[in-house]
Amino acid sequence: MYSHIMIGTDDIDRAKAFYERVLGVLDGDLQVMENENKTGQRRVFFIQNGGILALTQPIDGQPVSTANGSTIGFACNSGEQVKQFHDAAVEAGATSVEDPPGLREGGAMGPMHLCYFRDLDGHKICGIHRSAG
């Protein structure tokens, strides 16, 4: 459904190290590519299982800000992997938000394992595994 997700960062090296560690928990080969665009902003692209997460320095030269109400979700293969994803993020400096990682039942989409954290720049990230329990 989507081509890629791009988020801003004021510290591209710090953000790259964070996402290498966190995305390394997920299954699949993680490819990392870096480039600089025509106007001098550095970018890092993480490619895994057909999805792309891109980091960029803001093109307009303004400080990074996060979108209130926005969440970027990453598919995990098990409830255990949801917790590993969360724990790797927190160990790398993320802030855990909402409920602790675990099974949520009773929602319209059925039972699922979820975790939420804010990355080093404040972007809200979710790990999700839909399951029967």
Side-chain angles (χ1 to χ4, degrees), residues 89-133:
V90 171
E91 289 169 10
T95 302
S96 184
V97 295
E98 299 190 16
D99 294 329
L103 181 64
R104 312 293 198 276
E105 297 191 59
M109 297 181 73
M112 60 184 79
H113 292 264
L114 293 169
C115 73
Y116 292 95
F117 57 86
R118 291 207 178 264
D119 74 4
L120 303 177
D121 291 294
H123 302 288
K124 187 175 176 184
I125 308 297
C126 171
I128 183 170
H129 174 68
R130 291 179 175 86
S131 69

Side-chain angles (χ1 to χ4, degrees), residues 2-133:
Y2 70 91
S3 164
H4 65 281
I5 297 169
M6 183 174 285
I7 57 176
T9 181
D10 290 323
D11 188 336
I12 200 92
D13 294 320
R14 179 181 76 146
K16 177 185 177 203
F18 175 84
Y19 278 102
E20 282 177 323
R21 184 170 178 182
V22 174
L23 297 177
V25 171
L26 303 178
D27 294 331
D29 291 330
L30 179 63
Q31 299 173 37
V32 182
M33 297 172 38
E34 295 186 52
N35 80 342
E36 187 172 302
N37 68 8
K38 294 178 190 176
T39 55
Q41 287 77 32
R42 289 179 54 207
R43 293 182 169 172
V44 178
F45 297 87
F46 297 94
I47 305 163
Q48 190 172 36
N49 298 330
I52 300 172
L53 173 68
L55 307 174
T56 187
Q57 296 172 314
I59 293 172
D60 65 4
Q62 298 299 310
V64 166
S65 62
T66 58
N68 188 24
S70 297
T71 302
I72 300 168
F74 289 88
C76 297
N77 290 326
S78 67
E80 294 80 21
Q81 192 176 58
V82 168
K83 181 152 178 19
Q84 291 170 346
F85 183 69
H86 172 270
D87 292 350
V90 171
E91 289 169 10
T95 302
S96 184
V97 295
E98 299 190 16
D99 294 329
L103 181 64
R104 312 293 198 276
E105 297 191 59
M109 297 181 73
M112 60 184 79
H113 292 264
L114 293 169
C115 73
Y116 292 95
F117 57 86
R118 291 207 178 264
D119 74 4
L120 303 177
D121 291 294
H123 302 288
K124 187 175 176 184
I125 308 297
C126 171
I128 183 170
H129 174 68
R130 291 179 175 86
S131 69

